[in-house]
Amino acid sequence: MIEKKTNRVLSILFLLKVIPIFYFILFIVAPFLYPEYFPWISNIKLYLVATIAMLIYQTIIFILAEVFRKQSLWMHIGYVFAVFYGLFIYLTGGLDSTFMFAMVFIPIISATYLNERLSINTGLFTILVMVSTILFDKNRLDPVYVIKYLMHIAVYSLMVFYLYKIVKEVMMQRFEKERLKRQFVELSELDNVKQIFLTATSHQLKSPLAGARWALDTAIQNKDCADIKILTEGRERVVQAINIIEEMIKTAEYDLGDKKIILNKEKITLNSIVEKIISNLAYLIQGSAISLILNIKEGVAVYGDKKVLDLALANIFDNAFRYAPKSKVTVTIKKEGQYAKLTVEDNGIGIDSADQEYVFQKFFRGKNALRLDPNQSGVGLYATKKIVEMHGGSIKISSILGKGTKVEVFLPLD
């Protein structure tokens, strides 16, 4: 589509260059063969010399521009045309010439090159040429003719000014577009570098944390350990950090390209994933004194990557248990049309209405969530939405501040 538009523009510019050549040929041949039809040309010999000179000049410029591919040659032809049109007006009636309008083509054609300096300079030069014709006109001493001609020049000057304004505005818009384009490319490159750095750093952090988890597990299993409670709490924090890093790795890999995450899809029951997540988050349920209600229908099967879906859905449950302390969380799984619908509803702190449109943005955290737990990453729901959509599903959140939040996930049935 863009190529067609470009070719169309080039064709129009080519015609603008070729048409004057045929114009000069016509206006040389016609007055030469039929001089009786051109009595308004005051000096036919001078007219023919000027027209032939312009034909030769136009042809030479056309050939040079096409052979050497230097289109910049055309940008300065307007100055020569201005002199020719000035002479043409003088030879066809002077101040009374009906060809006064011909001078309008010079600034119009110059404007097509979208060059501010060229547009204003050719405009001012044509005005100067038009003013100078008064000095050579036979009626230059008649104030009526002079005033009429000056009024023509004034209107012409106004048109030149507005053409210049249009060119300037177009150039400003083009410059702004190019600036924004460059800025967008720079930001994209910066974001790509950030994602690579985030992925590499996250992988580097994951290994020592896994080692720390293993050491704590070993210490907790030792019957002679005196501070099992403290170690258990420390282990939970390490596990929490590992989970956050896994979220960051997944989101960073997804942002680096669609082919970075390969889904190993299989038939899985949604309730088995949910039960595993609840089991893994038992410590959080107990620590937050959550009253958990399960309305899970058996055998609701979906087709997806069990490991990746586990990571995505765990974020939803983690949020519900973490931000609804000492309250009720209801989990429902059922079929709805061609989808398996998972609903996780709590009556916890809720989300401010001003924050709800941003909850799926990376690194965003609501104000009340930050007050309750400032140590989370803010990538959980972002990753969840991306993964659910990769499975052909959707997710939506509704919430009332201080009354609770409901998250609904739709995944295509197997």
Side-chain angles (χ1 to χ4, degrees), residues 38-44 46-47 84-101 130 133-140 142 145-146 148-149 152:
F38 298 89
W40 34 267
I41 299 176
S42 58
N43 190 327
I44 192 68
L46 183 60
Y47 168 82
F84 170 74
Y85 281 133
L87 183 60
F88 186 75
I89 290 169
Y90 170 73
L91 293 172
T92 55
L95 301 183
D96 284 329
S97 175
T98 55
F99 292 95
M100 191 76 69
F101 70 91
M130 292 176 73
T133 55
I134 300 174
L135 303 176
F136 302 97
D137 193 270
K138 60 182 179 180
N139 296 314
R140 62 182 178 275
D142 188 338
Y145 282 96
V146 172
K148 182 180 75 172
Y149 192 66
H152 289 167

Side-chain angles (χ1 to χ4, degrees), residues 17-26 55 58-59 62 74:
K17 298 165 188 174
V18 174
I19 287 173
I21 294 176
F22 292 103
Y23 160 79
F24 285 120
I25 293 173
L26 175 66
L55 173 62
Q58 178 85 8
T59 306
F62 178 79
W74 290 103

Side-chain angles (χ1 to χ4, degrees), residues 139-377:
N139 296 314
R140 62 182 178 275
L141 299 177
D142 188 338
V144 175
Y145 282 96
V146 172
I147 290 172
K148 182 180 75 172
Y149 192 66
L150 289 175
M151 289 182 69
H152 289 167
I153 295 174
V155 174
Y156 177 82
S157 302
L158 195 63
M159 186 210 68
V160 168
F161 171 74
Y162 280 110
L163 270 175
Y164 166 73
K165 291 280 287 183
I166 291 169
V167 171
K168 187 175 181 180
E169 183 65 27
V170 170
M171 291 305 297
M172 285 180 65
Q173 290 179 6
R174 177 179 286 186
F175 173 79
E176 185 65 17
K177 184 179 178 180
E178 289 297 322
R179 186 185 69 81
L180 291 173
K181 186 179 179 181
R182 288 195 301 271
Q183 198 173 52
F184 176 76
V185 171
E186 290 171 2
L187 288 173
S188 298
E189 291 175 353
L190 182 63
D191 187 63
N192 195 40
V193 171
K194 181 192 71 176
Q195 298 301 338
I196 294 170
F197 174 77
L198 183 61
T199 306
T201 305
S202 300
H203 278 291
Q204 291 292 328
L205 288 171
K206 191 176 178 182
S207 297
L209 284 171
R213 179 182 179 180
W214 175 82
L216 288 168
D217 283 338
T218 304
I220 291 168
Q221 291 171 8
N222 188 346
K223 295 179 181 179
D224 297 328
C225 182
D227 297 317
I228 292 178
K229 185 177 180 181
I230 295 174
L231 292 175
T232 302
E233 185 178 343
R235 179 189 177 280
E236 290 174 358
R237 294 298 180 187
V238 170
V239 171
Q240 179 184 356
I242 291 172
N243 289 337
I244 291 172
I245 287 171
E246 285 179 347
E247 292 176 12
M248 294 172 74
I249 290 171
K250 288 295 182 183
T251 53
E253 287 179 345
Y254 182 84
D255 285 340
L256 287 173
D258 293 339
K259 295 182 180 179
K260 289 291 181 180
I261 293 182
I262 299 174
L263 297 177
N264 299 312
K265 290 186 177 183
E266 57 181 332
K267 182 180 178 180
I268 48 177
T269 55
L270 193 55
N271 55 293
S272 65
I273 296 176
V274 171
E275 286 167 0
K276 180 185 175 184
I277 292 170
I278 291 172
S279 176
N280 291 339
L281 296 176
Y283 73 93
L284 192 55
I285 297 171
Q286 295 170 8
S288 300
I290 298 294
S291 174
L292 186 60
I293 300 172
L294 300 176
N295 298 319
I296 298 178
K297 184 179 179 181
E298 295 291 337
V300 179
V302 295
Y303 187 67
D305 188 315
K306 187 174 183 180
K307 186 178 179 181
V308 176
L309 275 178
D310 185 289
L311 173 68
L313 301 181
N315 294 322
I316 299 171
F317 286 91
D318 186 273
N319 287 342
F321 299 150
R322 192 178 301 279
Y323 300 120
K326 298 179 182 180
S327 62
K328 181 175 67 174
V329 175
T330 304
V331 180
T332 306
I333 297 176
K334 64 178 183 178
K335 293 181 181 179
E336 190 169 291
Q338 299 297 314
Y339 292 89
K341 180 182 178 182
L342 167 66
T343 305
V344 180
E345 189 171 5
D346 65 68
N347 54 356
I349 62 173
I351 305 169
D352 194 304
S353 58
D355 293 336
Q356 288 184 32
E357 62 178 303
Y358 306 107
V359 292
F360 292 115
Q361 289 187 7
K362 187 164 47 176
F363 304 124
F364 177 80
R365 298 194 65 213
K367 295 181 286 293
N368 52 342
L370 278 169
R371 285 193 294 268
L372 187 63
D373 190 347
N375 299 315
Q376 299 304 305
S377 65

Side-chain angles (χ1 to χ4, degrees), residues 45-56:
K45 290 183 179 180
L46 183 60
Y47 168 82
L48 290 173
V49 169
T51 310
I52 292 170
M54 276 304 299
L55 173 62
I56 295 170

Side-chain angles (χ1 to χ4, degrees), residues 72 324 330 396:
S72 57
T330 304
K396 63 180 182 179

